[in-house]
Amino acid sequence: MRKRTVLFFIISILAVLTFSSYSIVEHQIQSNETLYSISIEYNVSISTILDWNSNLSPNNLKIGQVILIPQPEGYIYEVKEGDNLTYIAKLFFTSVSDIVKANNLDTTTIFVNQKLFIPKSVVGKGFNNERNIIWPVYGTISSLYGYRVHPITKEYSFHKGIDLAAPMGTPVFCVETGKVKFVGENGGYGLMVEIESSNGSYVYGHLSKINVYEGQYVEKGEMIARVGNSGLSTGPHLHFEVKKADTNYDPLVFLPSSNRIYVLDNTENEYGLGGN
């Protein structure tokens, strides 16, 4: 009887949904558990757990709450109109063949609202590491650092960073290892994250989703958020700032060349489909 009880308990704690090449574990939070202990148990980062669970409060876990954990670690990308595999690979700084393999695709055709799994192990292959920091997102520069006419207020004011236009939900990556200094709403910035490193601090604004919490240490290349349109914004984009000793500097001085945001050279059959 006791064995049956224990077995039922285990099943109630862990339910596994299996997909093509990954599984989703449904973990029920127990007393004395923390995000850190759960991340260690499943060998996934805290940021990944937060990305999969929008209603999860990092500092106030609720006993009995069921959270989703991907095995192996990775992210979901929902295909949007106009997307193709090459573009999606660039958003995650990975290769098309890695996405094809992870999702057991036998065709290059993808469709709107299709959900693709991107393993964390393949993310970042296309980062440009020529400088101390990497590009936080694969996007198009839509506004430069310096004085400009604000697109909403129409006032001539100083733009403290650069804007990178990218679709809603595009992954945002930590440009340099550091500690999260601020997370939350911040006026015109909307949902914002500030991460402080030994070389300065970096601001990420107008987010739709945040995957880190204040005080957390984050590695360079870690996915920390998703692009959004929050705050004073005319469309989905990332506002990115570089600050040193509370003084703002032009991010383009510190970032690799804007012509080489993504540097992965695919010499293999890009689609990994045997030439079909």
Side-chain angles (χ1 to χ4, degrees):
M1 182 67 180
R2 183 180 179 183
K3 288 184 178 180
R4 289 183 180 178
T5 302
V6 171
L7 181 60
F8 176 79
F9 177 76
I10 293 174
I11 292 174
S12 65
I13 297 299
L14 298 176
V16 180
L17 304 176
T18 304
F19 296 86
S20 56
S21 59
Y22 70 99
S23 299
I24 300 175
V25 176
E26 295 183 340
H27 176 86
Q28 191 175 62
I29 296 174
Q30 303 299 296
S31 61
N32 300 319
E33 282 191 319
T34 64
L35 274 184
Y36 178 74
S37 68
I38 295 172
S39 71
I40 295 298
E41 180 179 351
Y42 292 100
N43 193 31
V44 300
S45 69
I46 290 173
S47 297
T48 297
I49 295 175
L50 291 174
D51 188 60
W52 279 78
N53 299 275
S54 300
N55 60 343
L56 190 60
S57 176
N59 299 314
N60 187 28
L61 299 184
K62 298 179 180 178
I63 297 174
Q65 182 179 6
V66 175
I67 61 175
L68 306 179
I69 302 174
Q71 296 286 283
E73 184 171 8
Y75 314 105
I76 291 294
Y77 179 80
E78 188 168 326
V79 177
K80 299 173 180 59
E81 188 173 353
D83 281 347
N84 57 53
L85 289 176
T86 299
Y87 179 67
I88 295 170
K90 289 180 178 180
L91 294 181
F92 287 87
F93 294 89
T94 188
S95 71
V96 171
S97 58
D98 282 314
I99 297 177
V100 167
K101 182 179 179 180
N103 294 275
N104 292 330
L105 301 179
D106 56 7
T107 176
T108 60
T109 301
I110 53 177
F111 52 88
V112 176
N113 297 327
Q114 180 179 358
K115 293 183 178 180
L116 297 173
F117 180 72
I118 317 294
K120 185 182 179 182
S121 61
V122 306
V123 173
K125 289 183 175 182
F127 284 144
N128 187 332
N129 288 297
E130 293 173 354
R131 300 285 187 90
N132 288 334
I133 66 175
I134 59 174
W135 282 86
V137 70
Y138 182 81
T140 303
I141 299 175
S142 58
S143 187
L144 295 169
Y145 172 88
Y147 281 98
R148 66 171 186 175
V149 176
H150 195 283
I152 295 179
T153 66
K154 305 304 179 183
E155 295 179 354
Y156 189 65
S157 58
F158 194 82
H159 190 222
K160 295 180 179 180
I162 60 173
D163 290 342
L164 295 165
M168 186 77 70
T170 296
V172 177
F173 298 98
C174 180
V175 300
E176 186 178 25
T177 298
K179 184 179 180 180
V180 180
K181 182 178 180 180
F182 175 84
V183 166
E185 291 274 358
N186 186 16
Y189 287 89
L191 282 176
M192 188 193 104
V193 170
E194 182 171 359
I195 297 179
E196 193 168 37
S197 75
S198 58
N199 295 314
S201 63
Y202 307 96
V203 171
Y204 311 78
H206 304 306
L207 306 170
S208 62
K209 182 178 177 58
I210 295 175
N211 300 338
V212 293
Y213 60 88
E214 289 183 21
Q216 180 182 350
Y217 284 92
V218 186
E219 296 291 328
K220 179 180 181 179
E222 188 80 25
M223 182 172 153
I224 59 171
R226 300 263 186 171
V227 167
N229 190 29
S230 58
L232 208 57
S233 172
T234 58
H237 73 281
L238 174 72
H239 173 82
F240 176 65
E241 295 181 12
V242 173
K243 298 197 294 186
K244 296 179 182 292
D246 292 325
T247 299
N248 285 85
Y249 292 87
D250 186 350
L252 294 181
V253 173
F254 304 95
L255 288 164
S257 168
S258 59
N259 294 323
R260 287 172 52 78
I261 296 177
Y262 172 90
V263 296
L264 189 60
D265 180 20
N266 282 325
T267 56
E268 59 181 314
N269 176 348
E270 189 177 52
Y271 294 105
L273 299 173
N276 292 334

